[in-house]
Amino acid sequence: EQPVCESTEMERLVDVYGTGMLRMCCMYLGDVHLAQDAVQDAFIKIYRAWRPIENPSAEKAWVMRITVNVCKDYLRSPWRRRRAPVEALEDCAVPGPEPEDDTLARAVMSLPVKYRGVVTLYYYQEWSVKEIAGALGCSEYAVRMRMSRARGMLRVKLEGGDGHNEAHASG
């Protein structure tokens, strides 16, 4: 028989992971309302698949992997397949300090999903490469490659040009 997730345990999970899940879903999906739905769906899946986990980092990886998979399902879903305009970022505000300039967030939102995911987990959730690999179900090497490619794409988007150092072109 499957262990039952008590209401106090679900409340703890919401308190510990809810804000981070919402931020990640906003970055993945680009729409705060869709992100809120995704977080609710993720908590339903967590409730249904509940199993006590002693190690907090393993619990975090398990919760976030479910959340990432829900976001991926949303993006693949034919009736939800729509691109939110980048202006939807304005709706993705969650409690915390307000950034003075949202240029970086807009650039991250424009990345392909697999790169947006690693950037979101690494920089916004402050996860290690190992934690990201566990949550996404890929190797640490794949995470590092995606991070490298994402940084290159962001450099091009933020600096303009082809991403090569201009000094080398003239010298």
Side-chain angles (χ1 to χ4, degrees):
E1 187 173 305
Q2 181 177 341
V4 176
C5 186
E6 300 292 330
S7 63
T8 54
E9 189 64 9
M10 279 306 293
E11 288 174 18
R12 180 188 69 80
L13 292 171
V14 170
D15 288 344
V16 171
Y17 302 110
T19 301
M21 291 167 67
L22 180 60
R23 282 189 175 134
M24 188 174 62
C25 290
C26 274
M27 293 302 289
Y28 249 91
L29 302 172
D31 180 306
V32 71
H33 303 293
L34 204 55
Q36 289 168 339
D37 290 347
V39 170
Q40 288 179 1
D41 286 348
F43 275 120
I44 290 169
K45 287 183 184 258
I46 289 166
Y47 179 80
R48 289 182 178 155
W50 176 248
R51 56 188 170 82
I53 301 172
E54 297 297 320
N55 180 345
S57 65
E59 179 183 80
K60 177 180 174 183
W62 182 71
V63 166
M64 295 311 267
R65 184 172 189 156
I66 289 172
T67 306
V68 166
N69 287 337
V70 167
C71 287
K72 287 179 179 179
D73 289 346
Y74 271 49
L75 291 171
R76 282 191 292 259
S77 175
W79 59 84
R80 296 186 185 170
R81 195 176 295 162
R82 59 183 167 79
R83 295 272 310 166
V86 177
E87 290 74 34
L89 275 174
E90 295 161 9
D91 292 336
C92 288
V94 289
E98 289 294 317
E100 292 180 21
D101 182 4
D102 65 352
T103 304
L104 179 60
R106 289 177 188 275
V108 170
M109 285 298 299
S110 71
L111 291 173
V113 173
K114 72 179 185 177
Y115 300 118
R116 186 183 328 151
V118 295
V119 168
T120 300
L121 292 171
Y122 189 80
Y123 290 107
Y124 291 88
Q125 299 294 328
E126 299 179 350
W127 281 29
S128 69
V129 169
K130 184 176 183 174
E131 289 173 316
I132 296 168
L136 298 180
C138 62
S139 70
E140 291 180 37
Y141 176 78
V143 171
R144 283 192 286 278
M145 286 303 298
R146 289 179 189 179
M147 286 296 300
S148 176
R149 291 177 180 150
R151 286 182 190 117
M153 288 182 227
L154 288 171
R155 190 174 301 114
V156 169
K157 289 176 188 301
L158 296 172
E159 295 175 1
D162 62 3
H164 296 296
N165 188 335
E166 298 299 324
H168 286 88
S170 63

